[in-house]
Amino acid sequence: MSVPNEETTAVDASAPEFLLDQHVKYIQALDTKKNDLEYWLTEHLRVNGLYWGATALHILGHPDALDQEQIVEYLVKCQHDNGGFGGHIDHDPHILSTLSAVQILITYDRLDAIQVDKVVDYIASLQNEDGSFSGDSWGETDTRFIFCAINCLSLLKKLDDKRLDLQKTIDYVVRCRNFDGGFGSSPGGESHAAQVYVCVGTLTILGALHHVDADQLGWWLSERQLKNGGLNGRPEKLEDVCYSWWVLSSLSMLNRTHWIDAPKLIRFILEAQDTETGGIADRPGNMPDVFHTVFGIAGLSLLGYPGLVAVDPVYCMPRHVIQRIGLIEKH
Amino acid sequence: MESRHGRKKEQAESPEALKTREEKETVLVREYLALKDTLKEIVESNKRDNDALKVTTALLRKSPDYYTIWNVRRTILKEGFLDNASDDETANKIYTGELEFVQENLKLNPKSYWMWNHRRWCLESMSQPRWDKELAMVGKFLEMDARNFHGWDYRRYIIRQLDLKDKEAKDKVLERAQSEFDFTITKIHQNFSNYSAWHNRSTLLGKLAEDMSTEEREAIVDNEFDLVKNAIYTDPEDQSAWLYELWLIGREERSISILGAHVISFHPLEIVVAFDETVKMRNPFTVSTRVDHVAIPLEGEWKATGSDSALGSVWIFQQAPGAVYGPTVEIVIFSDDVCAVRAGSKLPAAVCYELETLNQNLDEISGRLGRLVIGQNLMYDVTKRIGPVTGPDGTLETQAVHPKHRVTSLTESGSLDDRIALLEREISAVRELVELEPDCKWPIQILSTLLSELRKTVSIHSTQAKVIDDECIELQEKLITIDPLRQERYEDRRTQLVFDRETLSIIQDSKRFPEIEYSAKQPTNLDLSMRGLTHIPISSYLLHLHTLNLDSNSITSTRFLRNLLNVRRVNLSNNLIEHLEGMQHAPSLEFLTLENNMIAKWEDVVAGFVFWGEGKLARTGGHVKVLLGNNPVVVNEGGEYVLEKRWEDVGKVGVEIQWQSEELRLAEEALLAAEDETGAVGNMVVDGTRRVSATVVEFDAGLAH
């Protein structure tokens, strides 16, 4: 059951109102902008974009606002013989789009439409000797790809696949931990809130969160909030709506969401809404896009904003979906 | 994703301007789609020539994140050109062309993952990559944007590649690390807030110090402290240098302590082991018993208290049905049997507990689930702690001295005096800054952290420890006022400090410094009312209590109750609790006062009892009285009558809920008594407002769910 948040978080009365209906319309209109060059230039993000859009709509309580049947048909066409999904039809398979495709299919409860075993083959083929995962067969590695792999396998209930060495994955992630308690994209890489999210998420799913010093990392994460309420991703950088998700979900996994000022963050996200077109931008006054729209809305949901469907802090999918597939006790 | 950031929303345009823009856009779209069609033909016809390459060039100029085209391009280069290249020079020329192409595009899109990736592919495929040129190139990029993490990542990648080449020449590797170390100082001097540079410095310092003598290390570390001082005096609000300072100071790794192990029931045998923090059990602790002078393993199961049995600070062993135990039972916990949920702490060595089970008074404990035993001071059993013990492989576990004083993350010192000297020096330096900038939060935060480190070097019962605690609490209170955004973090920290101070009598220093254990005599009552607590940091400390008063704090969760195996009365009135949890595992609980909290929903009341059937109380048939007056739930769910009815709907268990506030109930009782005295008939309904104040209802967990 998708039950909207009932907790009435202290929402500042003078804060802008939440434009729920406009956001729904904004997301529905995304696929109609074929006269814009931008539409074509972002084609490689189509599958990711669908995940962002569909997830946002679910959290908004409008799960049927997109044509589910059409999306499933489209996704099937994006799957390659090796099991991976491309960012669009005829685009090469990559773990980023593979996770998005699986997330959408699970949200819609339509895993039956694809060959799950092949997806698992694909992901297993990307694990490297040191425990990390490559993004595709060209070999780029990044902790983001580790999270994509572990998240995807966990959603598919295939973490017990014999080809995987998950202890090595944990060891690798731990090697990415820094002097400040945060995590980077690779061993030695600077701490960054989005990389913290993927590493803490991976460790959460793998039951290895004891490698994280929650007080130290929670401190670092809480220092991401700036005076205007927005969150940045690294010290001395600008605020951005998408960090509402990366920082907040990490704090949530560490049971420390209360370490930042929720009403101020809510206000910042609401101010980044586009009152004309709907959608949310990276910060007030900028152009909205579906990426910032979903992470803004997911952030609001995690903050208990009234009227939104609860989101899961690890998987960034509706909580009732994660409950349905039986993964809720894991964290 | 980066390209989607920071685009300003444009002002509304005139109809003419809009039309012109749309026309232009149409042309651009047409051109782009035509290029894409050509690419499709190329891919389908396996064309690997110059024309094909040119199409990818044109497309990538327009859409640099179209990763598939980078893949197509590499395939064309490889199969159409490189595989047929007559010599290295020809191949290198091709790669160099690619590097130029990437560089020119990187200037426009310095944050495109795929482009940096293509560059790595070229260099790794070349026979003689010019890493020196790469280093110069990325240096330029970091001049344009000193925080570009792609740039920094790439820089570290180049160094790694070079180091790999010089695997055998350690001096070259060190020289390179030194030169990178110097690069970070250039960046830091340009801007003390360059966190990327501070970060890189932290990774290099360890490498440089690896083979240094103690003196050399001390010198280099002192140098770092000076650099930090420079930075924090320039801008005391800049977190970069402060976080670096904290890392330089390092943290003393505190070990996990076992507070004690005790028998809580003989039939079945139940043993509880309490830790001073939440731990994960990696291997079940070994339990054995002596039967006819032969030690045999005792079958049974370990569980943490609470419904989530994978983590906990209190663990209970229950013997398997039919298992027989002798006059002594021995528990051995090896250091790798547990790991702390908080990173960094370990059990320093294996420990062994021998518990005597011979003198049990069967008359006393038969019948009601050993309640009498539970009620005893936990030192009831002669608890002997012996060690060291042999490891699973038969070898004696070495009682190696674990380095306790981590002076920096790169040097460790076994000397307590050195550690104290360093901390005192830094504390006095930070204190000066706090005086200069009393409303600046970073010096205060760091001062508090340094003081907490210093506290680890003294006995927990010393006057100095108390002085430090008091100062740290004051510092948190100051932080709450000057940094309201993170107020609750400081409140949590303050709670920890206050809790430590108030529970000092419960623990003592173990002989095995720096561990702690329960003190010999345990209090049964504890008053922690009006202390501003937000949570109970270490509930295992409270294991012995019979009565706990937490009235008028800011506690948000009742989860800690699950570890309070002996508690009978808990006062949690005037807190911030929203739902009930944990009490189903508190087997002795009799009275729980929750008046004036924030419990708003019926479900949040029931949630406290859903696992009741699994809890001990269901077995003992004990009764709990819960006072819920003045919680929003009473009004939200339709008032007292309706709640009583709903509670009855649920089933049966020994829970008595009082919805009305205790104050009101007492007033009514007084009224009734007065009526009796005047000879009026008791229970007479005067105006329809009198209510049954408490209803005993039976509640069955199984049916509730």
Side-chain angles (χ1 to χ4, degrees):
Chain A
M1 287 304 296
S2 56
V3 185
N5 280 343
E6 280 180 42
E7 290 161 51
T8 6
T9 311
V11 181
D12 192 343
S14 64
E17 64 176 315
F18 182 62
L19 309 171
L20 195 143
D21 294 336
Q22 288 199 51
H23 295 320
V24 173
K25 287 194 189 106
Y26 171 79
I27 295 165
Q28 283 176 319
L30 286 170
D31 205 42
T32 61
K33 298 180 178 162
K34 294 182 179 159
N35 293 328
D36 295 352
L37 183 60
E38 183 71 17
Y39 176 87
W40 299 102
L41 291 183
T42 53
E43 203 176 55
H44 59 280
L45 292 172
R46 203 68 86 224
V47 170
N48 300 108
L50 271 175
Y51 157 69
W52 298 326
T55 303
L57 289 169
H58 275 78
I59 300 172
L60 291 169
H62 287 258
D64 301 321
L66 295 179
D67 185 337
Q68 181 184 321
E69 213 37 57
Q70 198 186 340
I71 290 172
V72 173
E73 258 172 53
Y74 165 79
L75 288 176
V76 168
K77 287 184 199 150
C78 293
Q79 193 176 23
H80 289 250
D81 289 340
N82 68 1
F85 286 78
H88 182 56
I89 297 165
D90 289 339
H91 287 223
D92 286 352
H94 197 281
I95 198 143
L96 289 168
S97 30
T98 302
L99 172 64
S100 287
V102 168
Q103 286 174 310
I104 302 167
L105 291 166
I106 286 183
T107 299
Y108 285 143
D109 201 7
R110 285 304 312 277
L111 266 189
D112 60 285
I114 57 154
Q115 284 180 285
V116 169
D117 288 347
K118 283 198 140 190
V119 181
V120 180
D121 291 345
Y122 176 70
I123 298 172
S125 77
L126 294 175
Q127 188 172 31
N128 300 311
E129 197 45 48
D130 59 9
S132 68
F133 284 81
S134 295
D136 62 10
S137 57
W138 291 92
E140 187 191 358
T141 60
D142 189 310
T143 44
R144 288 178 301 147
F145 307 150
I146 296 180
F147 180 63
C148 290
I150 298 302
N151 185 341
C152 202
L153 291 166
S154 154
L155 288 172
L156 297 173
K157 312 277 183 70
K158 299 286 183 186
L159 277 172
D160 55 355
D161 192 284
K162 293 277 180 293
R163 290 165 290 186
L164 304 165
D165 188 337
L166 298 179
Q167 187 53 50
K168 275 190 171 175
T169 302
I170 293 172
D171 294 345
Y172 184 90
V173 171
V174 171
R175 281 172 55 213
C176 297
R177 198 177 55 200
N178 290 317
F179 82 110
D180 49 21
F183 292 85
S185 61
S186 61
E190 183 185 341
S191 299
H192 182 295
Q195 308 288 357
V196 168
Y197 165 73
V198 295
C199 291
V200 171
T202 300
L203 295 176
T204 300
I205 293 173
L206 295 180
L209 204 55
H210 57 279
H211 289 290
V212 177
D213 184 331
D215 281 338
Q216 190 194 12
L217 182 53
W219 179 4
W220 189 86
L221 288 165
S222 71
E223 292 294 346
R224 299 305 109 241
Q225 189 166 36
L226 303 173
K227 284 205 175 71
N228 63 9
L231 303 169
N232 63 15
R234 292 186 285 160
E236 314 296 332
K237 299 282 285 182
L238 282 178
E239 70 284 357
D240 183 318
V241 161
C242 65
Y243 294 112
S244 311
W245 178 256
W246 315 123
V247 173
L248 207 56
S249 58
S250 303
L251 281 171
S252 170
M253 288 184 257
L254 302 174
N255 286 322
R256 279 161 178 76
T257 31
H258 58 292
W259 280 12
I260 57 157
D261 187 324
K264 281 211 155 172
L265 177 58
I266 290 175
R267 194 190 176 98
F268 172 77
I269 299 173
L270 292 176
E271 280 170 352
Q273 295 179 110
D274 191 315
T275 50
E276 290 163 26
T277 60
I280 301 176
D282 57 350
R283 63 183 68 99
N286 284 355
M287 294 279 284
D289 60 68
V290 65
F291 174 82
H292 289 95
T293 302
V294 67
F295 290 122
I297 291 172
L300 288 175
S301 165
L302 216 49
L303 290 166
Y305 193 85
L308 293 176
V309 171
V311 68
D312 184 89
V314 181
Y315 296 94
C316 196
M317 288 161 62
R319 202 157 169 75
H320 63 88
V321 171
I322 301 302
Q323 239 151 7
R324 185 190 74 214
I325 61 172
L327 288 176
I328 216 81
E329 296 82 8
K330 291 201 109 179
H331 46 271
Chain B
M1 276 315 63
E2 294 290 340
S3 62
R4 321 186 124 237
H5 289 87
R7 285 186 314 164
K8 282 266 164 249
K9 194 170 166 75
E10 279 145 27
Q11 295 301 311
E13 343 167 59
S14 65
E16 298 79 35
L18 182 70
K19 191 159 176 263
T20 324
R21 189 172 61 82
E22 277 178 356
E23 277 167 7
K24 272 193 192 154
E25 190 92 358
T26 312
V27 175
L28 287 173
V29 168
R30 208 178 297 137
E31 279 173 13
Y32 183 74
L33 292 181
L35 267 175
K36 267 194 61 186
D37 285 343
T38 324
L39 181 88
K40 199 166 181 199
E41 282 165 30
I42 289 168
V43 172
E44 278 164 7
S45 64
N46 278 329
K47 254 171 87 176
R48 302 278 187 261
D49 58 9
N50 226 348
D51 289 345
L53 200 64
K54 273 186 186 157
V55 174
T56 65
T57 306
L59 268 169
L60 287 170
R61 283 218 168 97
K62 290 180 191 293
S63 186
D65 285 338
Y66 192 161
Y67 65 92
T68 305
I69 307 184
W70 286 108
N71 298 345
V72 171
R73 185 175 177 93
R74 281 190 286 269
T75 309
I76 295 173
L77 284 169
K78 210 172 160 307
E79 294 173 8
F81 298 86
L82 294 162
D83 288 353
N84 319 320
S86 50
D87 49 32
D88 272 0
E89 204 184 321
T90 320
N92 267 337
K93 231 173 163 175
I94 295 167
Y95 286 123
T96 313
E98 286 304 292
L99 292 175
E100 279 165 16
F101 172 59
V102 171
Q103 189 158 349
E104 157 207 337
N105 278 284
L106 267 179
K107 281 181 191 148
L108 305 170
N109 298 287
K111 291 181 176 174
S112 168
Y113 284 99
W114 313 103
M115 266 192 275
W116 289 102
N117 200 25
H118 188 67
R119 199 163 184 92
R120 292 185 193 206
W121 174 80
C122 294
L123 291 156
E124 284 167 31
S125 313
M126 288 169 87
S127 60
Q128 286 184 315
R130 292 286 307 274
W131 295 111
D132 53 333
K133 273 192 166 175
E134 291 305 296
L135 210 52
M137 187 276 302
V138 79
K140 281 211 182 104
F141 265 91
L142 291 175
E143 266 168 42
M144 289 190 289
D145 176 3
R147 295 292 308 279
N148 183 341
F149 72 84
H150 293 273
W152 282 100
D153 273 347
Y154 190 65
R155 190 169 183 101
R156 282 183 288 264
Y157 159 77
I158 299 164
I159 301 299
R160 266 202 307 279
Q161 296 296 323
L162 285 166
D163 285 353
L164 216 57
K165 221 175 54 169
D166 293 329
K167 241 194 305 201
E168 307 303 322
K170 192 142 195 202
D171 52 328
K172 276 195 176 173
V173 172
L174 271 180
E175 204 178 297
R176 197 169 290 125
Q178 183 64 49
S179 135
E180 285 304 291
F181 196 62
D182 297 343
F183 178 76
T184 63
I185 199 72
T186 322
K187 289 287 157 200
I188 289 171
H189 280 148
Q190 282 166 8
N191 180 2
F192 277 128
S193 301
N194 191 331
Y195 193 78
S196 308
W198 287 101
H199 159 79
N200 214 28
R201 207 164 167 81
S202 80
T203 67
L204 292 160
L205 196 53
K207 216 190 226 175
L208 287 172
E210 234 166 56
D211 293 322
M212 282 184 179
S213 68
T214 316
E215 290 76 30
E216 281 173 318
R217 269 190 207 187
E218 272 172 19
I220 195 173
V221 172
D222 275 345
N223 199 35
E224 294 306 287
F225 278 116
D226 286 344
L227 177 65
V228 167
K229 297 274 141 35
N230 260 331
I232 58 188
Y233 272 90
T234 309
D235 180 4
E237 283 287 15
D238 180 1
Q239 58 198 296
S240 313
W242 285 118
L243 290 173
Y244 192 74
E245 158 95 9
L246 266 195
W247 173 71
L248 284 175
I249 292 289
R251 272 178 310 163
E252 187 182 311
E253 281 188 11
R254 219 177 50 79
S255 19
I256 302 172
S257 294
I258 300 181
L259 296 168
H262 315 276
V263 173
I264 54 167
S265 152
F266 288 104
H267 300 288
L269 183 69
E270 286 188 333
I271 301 164
V272 53
V273 175
F275 293 84
D276 71 332
E277 62 181 287
T278 305
V279 297
K280 179 172 166 174
M281 183 184 277
R282 297 170 67 184
N283 314 299
F285 312 145
T286 314
V287 186
S288 58
T289 183
R290 283 184 191 277
V291 176
D292 300 333
H293 304 289
V294 183
I296 53 161
L298 184 62
E299 298 283 315
E301 199 187 351
W302 283 99
K303 264 189 176 169
T305 52
S307 51
D308 161 23
S309 59
L311 303 171
S313 58
V314 175
W315 289 81
I316 299 177
F317 172 81
Q318 193 178 58
Q319 72 173 112
V324 180
Y325 58 91
T328 59
V329 171
E330 199 178 76
I331 305 167
V332 180
I333 302 166
F334 293 98
S335 38
D336 58 357
D337 285 347
V338 286
C339 59
V341 171
R342 192 168 58 86
S345 44
K346 291 186 210 102
L347 192 63
V351 287
C352 173
Y353 287 96
E354 197 181 272
L355 303 158
E356 288 188 12
T357 52
L358 197 60
N359 297 328
Q360 50 179 283
N361 187 338
L362 288 170
D363 291 339
E364 269 185 30
I365 58 168
S366 60
R368 294 180 57 217
L369 183 100
R371 240 227 182 139
L372 293 170
V373 174
I374 294 168
Q376 300 293 323
N377 181 311
L378 290 180
M379 304 308 285
Y380 176 83
D381 302 296
V382 181
T383 305
K384 271 193 301 185
R385 192 171 172 177
I386 49 170
V389 294
T390 47
D393 56 354
T395 56
L396 198 69
E397 256 201 23
T398 47
Q399 287 272 23
V401 182
H402 289 267
K404 287 177 199 138
H405 308 292
R406 180 169 269 219
V407 175
T408 76
S409 304
L410 57 122
T411 59
E412 279 172 350
S413 157
S415 157
L416 188 61
D417 290 342
D418 286 356
R419 177 73 177 159
I420 294 172
L422 173 82
L423 287 169
E424 285 180 344
R425 185 189 79 192
E426 291 304 304
I427 285 169
S428 83
V430 179
R431 247 187 231 293
E432 270 176 41
L433 204 58
V434 172
E435 276 161 28
L436 283 173
E437 304 270 355
D439 289 330
C440 189
K441 72 168 183 173
W442 278 97
I444 300 176
Q445 296 204 84
I446 302 301
L447 178 59
S448 164
T449 312
L450 293 176
L451 285 169
S452 299
E453 278 304 306
L454 188 64
R455 189 189 189 271
K456 291 181 189 167
T457 65
V458 300
S459 160
I460 52 172
H461 290 286
S462 65
T463 322
Q464 200 188 350
K466 194 185 169 312
V467 172
I468 292 176
D469 283 348
D470 290 348
E471 181 174 3
C472 285
I473 290 167
E474 261 176 51
L475 291 174
Q476 301 310 313
E477 282 161 1
K478 173 82 184 169
L479 286 165
I480 290 169
T481 60
I482 59 177
D483 185 21
L485 286 181
R486 280 155 282 266
Q487 179 184 342
E488 296 199 33
R489 188 173 88 74
Y490 306 126
E491 280 174 1
D492 281 356
R493 179 74 193 124
R494 187 189 165 282
T495 293
Q496 172 84 54
L497 291 160
V498 170
F499 184 83
D500 285 351
R501 189 174 67 181
E502 303 285 340
T503 55
L504 263 183
S505 61
I506 294 175
I507 48 165
Q508 62 184 13
D509 271 329
S510 144
K511 287 183 191 74
R512 290 141 58 102
F513 182 79
E515 295 174 71
I516 50 164
E517 59 191 22
Y518 286 127
S519 65
K521 202 162 163 41
Q522 290 302 314
T524 52
N525 299 337
L526 189 65
D527 185 351
L528 289 175
S529 60
M530 293 193 282
R531 301 293 201 284
L533 304 176
T534 58
H535 64 290
I536 300 299
I538 316 167
S539 51
S540 52
Y541 277 21
L542 310 180
L543 189 61
H544 306 74
L545 295 178
H546 290 183
T547 306
L548 175 59
N549 185 1
L550 290 165
D551 193 351
S552 301
N553 281 290
S554 306
I555 294 170
T556 54
S557 165
T558 61
R559 204 173 155 79
F560 65 93
L561 285 173
R562 65 188 185 156
N563 283 339
L564 274 48
L565 298 179
N566 297 295
V567 84
R568 286 116 196 251
R569 299 176 78 87
V570 181
N571 184 349
L572 272 164
S573 288
N574 303 302
N575 277 285
L576 304 172
I577 289 155
E578 290 180 358
H579 60 273
L580 302 188
E581 55 181 334
M583 75 274 288
Q584 62 268 34
H585 300 284
S588 311
L589 192 63
E590 291 168 358
F591 201 83
L592 178 61
T593 312
L594 279 163
E595 296 199 323
N596 275 324
N597 274 280
M598 297 167 72
I599 302 158
K601 284 188 299 191
W602 166 247
E603 288 70 23
D604 293 334
V605 179
V606 176
F609 301 95
V610 286
F611 294 108
W612 197 263
E614 294 167 24
K616 273 198 176 167
L617 210 102
R619 275 192 275 146
T620 60
H623 263 79
V624 184
K625 182 165 178 174
V626 185
L627 265 51
L628 276 176
N630 288 335
N631 274 280
V633 63
V634 181
V635 177
N636 288 355
E637 302 285 336
E640 292 163 32
Y641 289 129
V642 177
L643 280 174
E644 275 161 20
K645 181 142 179 31
R646 289 188 67 179
W647 191 257
E648 280 167 23
D649 288 346
V650 176
K652 50 176 181 186
V653 83
V655 181
E656 185 181 321
I657 298 270
Q658 183 180 304
W659 307 108
Q660 200 177 38
S661 82
E662 181 70 358
E663 212 177 316
L664 209 66
R665 192 184 66 78
L666 290 174
E668 272 192 15
E669 261 179 21
L671 189 67
L672 272 175
E675 279 170 358
D676 279 348
E677 271 170 34
T678 56
V681 184
N683 269 349
M684 190 180 72
V685 179
V686 181
D687 55 1
T689 55
R690 182 161 304 157
R691 284 158 195 186
V692 182
S693 59
T695 312
V696 179
V697 285
E698 303 288 301
F699 176 74
D700 178 9
L703 296 175
H705 225 44

